[in-house]
Amino acid sequence: MVSWKNPDELSSFKELCSDTHRADLKTLMSGEHSAKRVADYKVAMSSGLSYCFASKAVDDEILSKLQALADEAELSAKFRELYNGAVINTGENRLVLHQLCRGQLGDPVIADGVDKHEFYTHEQAKIADFSDAVHKGDIANAKGERFTTVVQIGIGGSDLGPRAMYIALENWAKANNKLRMKAHFISNVDPDDAASVLKSIDLEHSLFILVSKSGTTLETLTNEAFVKTALKAAGLDPAGHMIAVTSETSPLAKSKDYLAAFFMDDYIGGRYSSSSAVGGAVLSLAFGADVFARFLAGAHAEDVLDTNPDIRKNPAMLDALIGVYERNVLGYGTTAVLPYSQALSRFPAHLQQLDMESNGKSVNRFGEPLSYKTGPVIFGEPGTNGQHSFYQLLHQGTDIIPLQFIGFKHNQTGMDTVIEGSTSQQKLCANVVAQIMAFACGKDDANANKYFAGGRPSSIIVGEQLDPEALGAILAHFENKVMYQGFIWNINSFDQEGVQLGKLLAKKVLARDCDGALRAYSELLEI
Amino acid sequence: MVSWKNPDELSSFKELCSDTHRADLKTLMSGEHSAKRVADYKVAMSSGLSYCFASKAVDDEILSKLQALADEAELSAKFRELYNGAVINTGENRLVLHQLCRGQLGDPVIADGVDKHEFYTHEQAKIADFSDAVHKGDIANAKGERFTTVVQIGIGGSDLGPRAMYIALENWAKANNKLRMKAHFISNVDPDDAASVLKSIDLEHSLFILVSKSGTTLETLTNEAFVKTALKAAGLDPAGHMIAVTSETSPLAKSKDYLAAFFMDDYIGGRYSSSSAVGGAVLSLAFGADVFARFLAGAHAEDVLDTNPDIRKNPAMLDALIGVYERNVLGYGTTAVLPYSQALSRFPAHLQQLDMESNGKSVNRFGEPLSYKTGPVIFGEPGTNGQHSFYQLLHQGTDIIPLQFIGFKHNQTGMDTVIEGSTSQQKLCANVVAQIMAFACGKDDANANKYFAGGRPSSIIVGEQLDPEALGAILAHFENKVMYQGFIWNINSFDQEGVQLGKLLAKKVLARDCDGALRAYSELLEI
């Protein structure tokens, strides 16, 4: 049995916080010896990726203290408890099983009377059969014509993750002859969101996926009604154009309103659901079930690496520990995610949800208030675009913001052009490595406007190309990093009570059951 | 003459910082009297908008101290110097004239031997004539067929602002029969960005706008070459499909490679250039010059309000002062921008650039290091989507993040549907007011997981509908807010030296003129 303790009860954490030793990033990354540091300070990930942390403000002494914290906090053992089926989500009394969609890491997990790995793989097989039939035209519209477009209706985890994954692979799929159906997403209750998507697609050849675990999410049911109205207005039968991804106990599960229903369960939170039927249905329809299987394989291979208790062999655990060091020892409150890949344009928004919704907590897993900082703010945009925008503050602002870069040797489309002796892809890569060095080492200048203090830490995940396996591995890396940080902070990373109060108050506004400022604001917006 | 001093030399600022009085937001926003606060604590903006700050942690006592700071820092007089043509951008020895594109606020501004207001309006007139001719088909492709698509090639300020403005008005334009040409944007040097846009459009009927002030921006020239290669491959003459937006002195200005050239100058920084030819060309082509003129009129009306020395009548100045109070007195390092409007989906990314690139500085306008914090990190996503994502941390995380909401009474498309007794637009509005109250007042709960501390400050900009005037007004509001914060912090908000070092190092990488860690990183990415 592991022991769940706040970090400030652990001697390794107290030692880390009281230690005045610091790694001088500028010195460590300057001069000839710095090449060796870049070679040494990296950890192999799966799918040919590496996690490189030479530009983080750590040295061997700090790393050994972080290993001690990993050991004393029993991080590896806690992950083992999780994947073996312990009730890790204590607040909601639930298991946490998203990794199990990707493969079996430990013992069989039996819940609700079934083997959960079998349950997830069974749903994947159902999705594969369904998407194959759609691609072959065996499942088609009322005229017997093939569906060409798939539209996911969902919000939060049912939207951000699957949307980011779709965008990440769309160009790869085109280049590799794998784009079976174009995907769109409707999420916001703003009626202009649904209206805009519906105007841009060919309704008669569109298949809609309604994603709601409970079958009661306000935005999603509202948008479903919006879509059904549009289908009927076009003379189409909604039941012939819709499938559901939901829990077996939801009202949607056995409804005749859907061509098919695929199941998820309470053991996978929305923000962790890209690996489940929530991501599986739309990605299998868009790219084929084989591509989704490759994505899961990449994620599973990463999960396996992330079980290792040695932080020099476990990239997610190491990343988590360095993040805690930056947050609780160095006092940095924000992290930027900066992929040098246009395909990852919505990946920072997904990580923002994953990290901030999981670890933005002020009580520990027993409901006790905390006296230390937990999850940071996460934001980001793709490079090189960000270089011409908010990087100014990252370089010369009054706060230090740790940076997470992601870069690939090869682009996805294979199209490129040589200008002034280099390809665009080479320019892209040259820019990311240049930025790492500029942030780490800065530059002296007699003109204070042109002076860069340096000492601004970053890490980079480097890969060959953003393909399905690499994408799965990167996703798993960050999910596991967030999980390990939650373990260190002794919080429950798998509930989200902070989203409830607003929902309740919105209902009161719509029922005109409110007074004081809330009523006054409602009048201001003429509700 | 105004006096440029650091705020810590001003007695009003010192008093603000040493004062222990705090406004208790939870108490102020609870109970019946809170309705009056909502009614009182708002300032009229132009175009029917209001800036509402009842949910900020300020009261009359703090507001009077902020007015004293505004007076002592001579904010209104500094803005007057700026719009009358003083060299406010001292680092680059330049005037700052973006407001002059929208209207004349003060004296005629003569620079480079011309009246600059006449120069900007002349360029607008040239753009209007050109876009009218394109819409009528008088300027057409080699076959005499109309151009249907416009593609902006630019990065940073030449991309984010115009793109955010286009997305903001696209659905409004469709609903009001104003969408003349569909717009696309190519920005990233990642070759997959250009490849993806080029694959999705009809090249033969596309007009490209190359935007580069100097005519030397690496990403933009690379993407131009990419586009030209594609045009030639399709048997088209690039010179018949391209226009340029550049400075009069750039190599692009008189080139035969472009159908036309429209001019900007050194007095408008990239991030402030949506009101110049940089935004004007693409927005006039997309929506018509009349729509762009309405956008400028809304912005100018806001500029006029923002000259007022009374903070209760000057929304941008008040917003700026409250932001400084939150940053320097309350110690909050991040601000979230949360528009409840899908049309504003990229507006936070634009504000992120505008604010972080302008005020992410560590030296004052004389190049002296500062001992106080300057610009915060800015991030955001549209609601209600964010509610199902990172709002968890905003509600229950260990840091307080001030929030900027934006909401409208009416949607843009006019399409809507009633579910459970309310429209989607009503649900959207109910959610934003519910969130404001949840953040301000929180909720007691015996279960610590469900406890909300409250006291989390926000403001909201409320409008009738997001139309061109309202969009212009909102843009001007934030530009002027950022300007006033720069005045208070005594920094130069109009240069961006922090983006230079990375560019230099990237050139060294591409020239293989580097060693140590930089060389090692380059090898890792196989450059």
Side-chain angles (χ1 to χ4, degrees), chain A residues 388, chain B residues 155 211-223 503:
Chain A
H388 295 259
Chain B
I155 196 163
V211 186
S212 174
K213 194 190 293 182
S214 62
T216 61
T217 311
L218 174 80
E219 284 91 340
T220 301
L221 294 186
T222 299
N223 278 321
K503 282 189 201 174

Side-chain angles (χ1 to χ4, degrees), chain A residues 55 192 373 399 412-413 521, chain B residues 55 192 373 399 412-413 521:
Chain A
S55 306
D192 292 345
K373 298 284 188 185
D399 285 331
Q412 291 184 313
T413 62
Y521 271 124
Chain B
S55 306
D192 292 343
K373 298 284 188 185
D399 285 332
Q412 291 184 313
T413 62
Y521 270 124

Side-chain angles (χ1 to χ4, degrees), chain A residues 157-176:
Chain A
S158 303
D159 170 56
L160 280 168
R163 191 195 293 249
M165 301 307 128
Y166 174 77
I167 295 171
L169 292 180
E170 189 182 21
N171 282 326
W172 174 89
K174 279 183 194 164
N176 291 280

